[in-house]
Amino acid sequence: MFFTRTHEFALPISKDEFKNRLVGKHVKIHNLDFEVMELDFRINIVPHAEQVTEIKTLPITELDFREDSGKTKVVIKSKMRKLDAGGPQLIVIFCAFLFIASIILFFTSEDLKITLTFLGISILIFSAFWFRMQTGYFDYVRKIREYVINKGV
């Protein structure tokens, strides 16, 4: 929901040739293995995180194809695993509540210190969270997208 990314691009090769280049391969990103498999006329890129002991937020990527006059249109949709979605959603909701509380306090309270404290905490937590997501989850999304584009060229 919050963290789903969709990218679309066209490739000069056929749909079947592109599928043959991808299906059954493995992608290594940050020492983590992602498997490319075909399920229900779509290609999924799924992480193998069974041996991972640290907390990671990982994407599941779906590739959808449309053939159009000799070119293949590829739609890449990356979404967070349901297992990983709870923590980031809680952080976003917590930051939103702090931000809304600071706005309400700004108009109703005479003490500006509490208002600015809530606002500052909200911005600080969200900034740290967003930086962590950019270096983790969204980095995986970018690298998977680059891998798919490079296989099609």
Side-chain angles (χ1 to χ4, degrees):
M1 181 168 93
F2 289 127
F3 307 105
T4 302
R5 295 291 182 258
T6 304
H7 304 280
E8 187 174 327
F9 58 94
L11 295 174
I13 60 175
S14 71
K15 176 180 167 182
D16 293 328
E17 183 181 343
F18 186 62
K19 279 186 178 182
N20 288 337
R21 290 183 185 185
L22 286 174
V23 174
K25 305 285 194 265
H26 289 264
V27 183
K28 273 253 195 234
I29 302 173
H30 300 299
N31 295 325
L32 187 63
D33 185 43
F34 286 80
E35 184 177 357
V36 182
M37 62 182 80
E38 186 172 9
L39 298 170
D40 299 330
F41 304 108
R42 284 189 175 170
I43 292 181
N44 290 344
I45 302 175
V46 182
H48 285 288
E50 294 86 20
Q51 292 84 17
V52 175
T53 56
E54 62 269 3
I55 298 173
K56 288 189 181 268
T57 305
L58 300 170
I60 293 178
T61 304
E62 297 175 350
L63 304 177
D64 196 14
F65 305 101
R66 287 182 234 129
E67 242 176 311
D68 185 29
S69 66
K71 289 188 175 186
T72 304
K73 286 195 174 190
V74 180
V75 178
I76 301 174
K77 182 178 179 184
S78 295
K79 58 185 177 182
M80 195 175 290
R81 296 185 309 169
K82 289 182 182 179
L83 175 71
D84 299 333
Q89 287 177 348
L90 282 175
I91 292 171
V92 168
I93 291 170
F94 178 71
C95 289
F97 278 135
L98 279 177
F99 185 75
I100 291 168
S102 69
I103 290 173
I104 291 171
L105 285 173
F106 180 75
F107 291 112
T108 60
S109 176
E110 297 164 0
D111 189 10
L112 196 58
K113 290 180 186 176
I114 295 173
T115 303
L116 293 178
T117 302
F118 279 6
L119 181 64
I121 290 172
S122 172
I123 290 172
L124 181 69
I125 291 172
F126 189 77
S127 298
F129 165 73
W130 198 253
F131 175 76
R132 178 81 169 105
M133 290 297 286
Q134 287 296 326
T135 59
Y137 173 76
F138 291 118
D139 191 39
Y140 285 114
V141 170
R142 285 189 296 270
K143 296 221 172 150
I144 289 171
R145 185 183 69 220
E146 289 172 14
Y147 173 78
V148 170
I149 290 172
N150 288 338
K151 284 294 184 180
V153 176

